[in-house]
DNA sequence: TTCTTGTCACCTAGGTGTTAATAT
DNA sequence: ATATTAACACCTAGGTGACAAGAA
């Protein structure tokens, strides 16, 4: 999924947040190696604010502008991969997909979804926690995990898509949005690659205003 | 689900087996209590032949007849509940449903489904296995599990339904078969109860010929 | 003007018995 | 005559962005 994430990131990824909770697209997924096949691990994700700002989208210039200081941060939740805990061998067997993770803007959410502020930027983080079988495992807690950040997965939380190109790329690449496609769905790989080439030449327009 | 199982059992439950694997309906589900909330348990099911016979269905008399000795038994597989292993607290939190379990008649199945012989009778069994944390846990394996058999869940494996009343009860009670219902789906509980009363008076016709 | 919410048609994904054709 | 198989229409269940209405 890396190339798709990069494709979105070049345009400025947006993720919908809803009251009921919305999945991310692309889905965050990882391939693991180097784990102890016989040891237990817990896999989880959380989301860090990328800055202390609130944004707004200027339609006339098709760009994001700073709209002030960040709103109060919601209680920082984490999402445990539902297969946790599991053996290293199990995690390494195939790609691990966080497709059950949902984003919400409902501060009172009681479905365990990740709570984010709309119009704020976030960086997903991935954590692998070794389940230490030792008696005094707490003493080693600080060395029993590893965290990973993939900058191409950062995004703007929104309640509705702002950048039209993001909407089009979601429609083109998310199977559940197939109903909104114009052209032929057949041999979509070619279309994806074409988009790739097209957008890399558009990068100058994509920076976030930093003050 | 017990009353639904009993309803089917009074008619002579049939379960479809297919090459690709078919779920059971009703689904086998249990409510657990008395587990150690902090201990790990594995939950699983297997299927015992109820006798050494092969059956055939006589449509003219609407009854099952013995058609000879049982065919060679397939390799006895087990189905681990996909949430296994998990803490007792987790298992007791809510009803445990074996809705991922599938039955197949394909002797070469490599999807991990339960392999059964069509036209043979089976008794599902449910097992709770305590995951013993002790070093020499093998020595206690014989006392670290408990098995449960619910006779109302026994059934005949079939590739197509034989008893018309079974077909009708499946259609009436399985949400996925709603497309085949004739009457009003509204307030279905009343219909279910009516069927209940109706069929209990029919029991004389339902015995399996024992030789 | 900008942002949020709820409803909707349109999808994916997969669980039903039916049916017709075939096998035994 | 009885048993099996594959294709099928019709469901459940739930993930999409569009859209209109409402809120800030």
């Amino acid at each position: 999924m890396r190339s798709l994430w990069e494709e979105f990131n070049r345009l400025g990824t947006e993720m919908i947040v809803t009251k009921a909770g919305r999945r991310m697209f692309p889905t965050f997924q990882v391939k693991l190696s180097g784990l102890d096949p016989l040891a237990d691990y817990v896999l989880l994700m959380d989301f860090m604010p990328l800055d202390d700002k609130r944004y707004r989208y200027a339609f006339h210039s098709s760009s994001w502008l700073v709209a002030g200081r960040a709103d109060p941060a919601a209680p920082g939740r984490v999402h445990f991969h539902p297969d946790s805990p599991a053996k290293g061998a199990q995690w390494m067997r195939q790609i691990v997909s966080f497709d059950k993770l949902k984003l919400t803007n409902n501060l009172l959410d009681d479905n365990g979804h990740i709570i984010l502020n709309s119009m704020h930027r976030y960086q997903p983080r991935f954590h692998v926690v070794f389940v230490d079988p030792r008696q005094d495992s707490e003493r080693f807690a600080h060395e029993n995990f590893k965290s990973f950040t993939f900058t191409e997965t950062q995004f703007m939380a929104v309640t509705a898509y702002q950048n039209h190109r993001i909407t089009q790329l979601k429609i083109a690449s998310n199977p559940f949005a197939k109903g909104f496609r114009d052209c032929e769905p057949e041999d979509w790989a070619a279309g994806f690659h074409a988009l790739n080439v097209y957008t890399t030449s558009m990068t100058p327009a994509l920076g976030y205003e930093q003050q």
Side-chain angles (χ1 to χ4, degrees), chain A:
Chain A
M1 281 301 218
R2 164 163 263 152
S3 61
L4 187 54
W5 275 107
E6 290 170 342
E7 184 65 20
F8 274 101
N9 192 40
R10 280 191 284 272
L11 294 172
T13 310
E14 301 174 21
M15 293 289 178
I16 299 280
V17 292
T18 68
K19 195 171 176 181
R22 197 78 151 193
R23 303 208 304 198
M24 290 199 290
F25 187 89
T27 302
F28 189 95
Q29 37 193 32
V30 288
K31 182 151 176 48
L32 293 164
S33 60
L35 302 181
D36 177 350
L38 302 178
D40 277 319
Y41 296 87
V42 167
L43 268 47
L44 60 121
M45 290 187 66
D46 64 3
F47 294 76
M48 295 290 293
L50 256 174
D51 52 43
D52 196 41
K53 297 179 172 58
R54 180 179 224 287
Y55 290 83
R56 69 184 186 86
Y57 191 73
F59 281 96
H60 60 85
S61 61
S62 297
S63 63
W64 289 97
L65 307 175
V66 173
R69 300 268 300 182
D71 295 331
R77 289 186 174 172
V78 301
H79 172 86
F80 290 90
H81 191 287
D83 293 352
S84 301
K87 303 294 182 197
Q90 182 66 31
W91 291 124
M92 293 188 292
R93 183 152 23 237
Q94 55 187 349
I95 289 176
V96 176
S97 184
F98 282 84
D99 54 0
K100 291 288 178 287
L101 188 158
K102 290 192 176 185
L103 309 178
T104 183
N105 59 343
N106 181 10
L107 298 172
L108 304 174
D109 173 83
D110 56 354
N111 299 305
H113 296 152
I114 299 288
I115 304 174
L116 301 179
N117 282 322
S118 182
M119 313 313 268
H120 291 60
R121 297 182 71 208
Y122 292 95
Q123 172 64 61
R125 289 195 309 182
F126 169 60
H127 310 277
V128 181
V129 181
F130 172 66
V131 179
D132 198 326
R134 286 175 287 189
Q135 293 288 347
D136 50 351
S137 60
E138 309 79 23
R139 296 206 300 118
F140 306 98
H142 63 286
E143 60 185 26
N144 280 339
F145 69 94
K146 261 200 155 47
S147 300
F148 302 88
T149 300
F150 301 93
T151 57
E152 68 269 28
T153 63
Q154 59 190 52
F155 63 86
M156 182 78 71
V158 296
T159 56
Y161 292 128
Q162 305 296 315
N163 182 346
H164 242 250
R165 292 202 178 108
I166 288 293
T167 311
Q168 291 312 308
L169 185 52
K170 296 256 185 178
I171 289 173
S173 52
N174 189 333
F176 288 108
K178 193 171 284 184
F180 300 102
R181 291 182 191 167
D182 294 324
C183 65
E184 302 307 290
E186 46 165 328
D187 192 29
W188 183 76
F192 178 23
H193 186 63
L195 265 170
N196 235 306
V197 174
Y198 171 70
T199 52
T200 44
S201 63
M202 302 293 291
T203 41
L206 302 173
Y208 289 91
E209 181 185 287
Q210 283 301 333
Q211 180 56 326

